[in-house]
Amino acid sequence: MFQTVDKTAPGERQRWIKLLARAPQPMLEAGLATVPGQPRTWLRRPETGLLMVQGRVGGTGNRFNVGEITVTRCALRLSGGTCGVAYVQGRSHSRAEMVALADALLQVDQFRPILEASLLARITAFLDSESAAMTRKAQSTRVDFFTVARESGGSDAEAADS
Amino acid sequence: MNGLTPIDLSTIGRGFDNLALDSQAVFRLALSAMSRPGDIQELTAGIESPAGLHPAAGAVLLALLDQDTRLWLSPAFAGGHVSTYLRFHTGCVLVADAAEADFVLVANVSELPALCALSLGSEEYPERSATVVLQVEELSNSAGWPLSGPGIEGAKVLRIEGLDEGFVTQWRQAQAEFPRGVDLFAASAGSLAALPRTTRLEA
């Protein structure tokens, strides 16, 4: 329902929010430890709720409700006025807080380069290795179907004529 | 449905520090105010209400509004920081027509809409009426209209700065519809008083 007004380049913030939302908690902790602690104010304390996930078979057809997932959200403001938001899957309030904090810090020019290296790069590498492992696992059970090309003319055509 | 409206979060103030306990405390105060009409309750909620919104009025609305309540804002507030603040913290639905609203927030007495034009509820469901939250400069029990009705023992007077005889006439008109009617919270910067529909103004 709410978006914050983006002061960063378009798409940039989406990119890191997408990464942060999928980052495992220890990686967030380690990444945030590389920047000095910042005093913060809660705009919205972490709260857990349900979100309906919708799907669409094959990318076409009507949307249908897949099911509900648990989502924790929060919003905070740094003393400099920068705001960070988080919507993460699950019930972990501390994880939502870290994601919101990382989102806010990434909007600060002073911290962005540090966090790009210590946090975003690691999350990207982790997610890539996860998806590679998943692909490998799927590849090992892959079955290739193929259809034998039918020769032109021949007995089929004659059968149809008779 | 409300579409995606980009808002600047840095303009939004803090809401209740402890959502459950603070909103319960404010709810308790609002309940005391309604059950003892004319009593002035001191209300100091630690919220960062946006410019123009009295902290007391803001706290009452944060405690009472949710995504199922419809809120009408008087022209001074409509579309400004007050509407984003209340939308962000409560998820309430904003309506353009005061007659559809469950809660009516009025920035100052000059913007008070006609009481009978608000939702008065129905004979079957009189509780589905509007509750007015009116911002006033000052509330005082030292002079003003004598009040009588349920919840008032003996004599009580209430002075709501800025309200005149015209309001008394409107209040009586709305009361003629009983059990339908409207209830009113008057909020100054740090205090709150209530006039439920059962309270008679003897002015």
Side-chain angles (χ1 to χ4, degrees):
Chain A
M1 201 74 77
F2 284 101
Q3 294 175 320
T4 53
V5 173
D6 252 333
K7 294 196 179 74
T8 48
E12 265 297 280
R13 193 158 173 217
Q14 275 103 316
R15 178 182 67 87
W16 75 57
I17 283 181
K18 189 176 170 186
L19 288 172
L20 291 172
R22 295 155 77 195
Q25 187 150 346
M27 209 167 274
L28 288 168
E29 277 167 15
L32 285 171
T34 59
V35 292
Q38 298 289 315
R40 67 204 88 149
T41 318
W42 285 117
L43 292 178
R44 178 187 272 149
R45 282 180 179 275
E47 53 190 19
T48 304
L50 291 173
L51 216 121
M52 179 61 80
V53 179
Q54 293 191 317
R56 209 196 279 271
V57 174
T60 56
N62 290 330
R63 279 192 286 181
F64 64 94
N65 293 338
V66 178
E68 281 174 327
I69 56 164
T70 319
V71 168
T72 303
R73 68 175 179 181
C74 69
L76 51 77
R77 184 172 56 204
L78 300 181
S79 50
T82 317
C83 298
V85 292
Y87 277 77
V88 294
Q89 202 188 330
R91 290 178 302 173
S92 169
H93 286 196
S94 56
R95 184 155 159 251
E97 181 182 350
M98 282 188 277
V99 170
L101 185 61
D103 173 39
L105 289 171
L106 277 160
Q107 292 172 69
V108 182
D109 293 334
Q110 184 193 345
F111 301 126
R112 193 181 310 124
I114 308 173
L115 285 174
E116 282 279 0
S118 68
L119 188 59
L120 295 187
R122 288 183 195 174
I123 300 171
T124 314
F126 169 77
L127 293 176
D128 285 351
S129 70
E130 286 273 283
S131 89
M134 187 81 89
T135 312
R136 263 199 313 281
K137 205 172 167 192
Q139 283 292 340
S140 68
T141 59
R142 192 170 83 164
V143 180
D144 285 320
F145 291 98
F146 60 93
T147 310
V148 180
R150 201 167 61 181
E151 285 171 40
S152 57
S155 59
D156 278 1
E158 283 164 21
D161 286 343
S162 64
Chain B
M1 282 296 284
N2 288 284
L4 282 173
T5 331
I7 58 158
D8 192 351
L9 270 187
S10 56
T11 62
I12 288 189
R14 188 160 39 81
F16 287 130
D17 191 40
N18 186 323
L19 191 60
L21 295 181
D22 290 354
S23 61
Q24 280 172 13
V26 172
F27 184 85
R28 176 68 238 185
L29 271 177
L31 187 63
S32 300
M34 268 293 169
S35 45
R36 297 185 192 84
D39 268 14
I40 297 172
Q41 311 282 339
E42 295 302 319
L43 204 168
T44 45
I47 62 167
E48 284 174 355
S49 56
L53 181 66
H54 288 170
V60 167
L61 288 171
L62 289 192
L64 296 179
L65 296 177
D66 65 14
Q67 63 267 38
D68 295 324
T69 50
R70 289 158 296 178
L71 173 71
W72 181 83
L73 297 169
S74 72
F77 285 159
H81 285 175
V82 174
S83 65
T84 30
Y85 178 79
L86 292 171
R87 281 271 301 133
F88 177 81
H89 286 295
T90 67
C92 65
V93 181
L94 296 175
V95 290
D97 183 3
E100 292 174 4
D102 303 310
F103 286 89
V104 173
L105 173 62
V106 185
N108 53 60
V109 288
S110 63
E111 292 193 333
L112 185 67
L115 294 180
C116 285
L118 302 175
S119 161
L120 300 178
S122 62
E123 295 286 339
E124 294 83 7
Y125 301 101
E127 74 278 13
R128 291 184 187 168
S129 61
T131 302
V132 180
V133 178
L134 173 66
Q135 297 206 129
V136 296
E137 288 303 312
E138 202 186 341
L139 292 165
S140 132
N141 279 137
S142 54
W145 300 315
L147 306 181
S148 67
I152 300 166
E153 194 176 25
K156 170 150 289 175
V157 291
L158 176 68
R159 180 176 156 75
I160 301 177
E161 191 69 40
L163 286 185
D164 54 12
E165 289 305 308
F167 173 78
V168 179
T169 316
Q170 281 198 43
W171 187 253
R172 288 186 181 144
Q173 278 172 359
Q175 270 182 327
E177 304 287 328
F178 194 83
R180 300 163 72 227
V182 293
D183 308 300
L184 182 135
F185 282 109
S188 69
S191 55
L192 183 75
L195 290 178
R197 67 191 72 178
T198 52
T199 300
R200 290 181 294 277
L201 303 177
E202 310 283 355

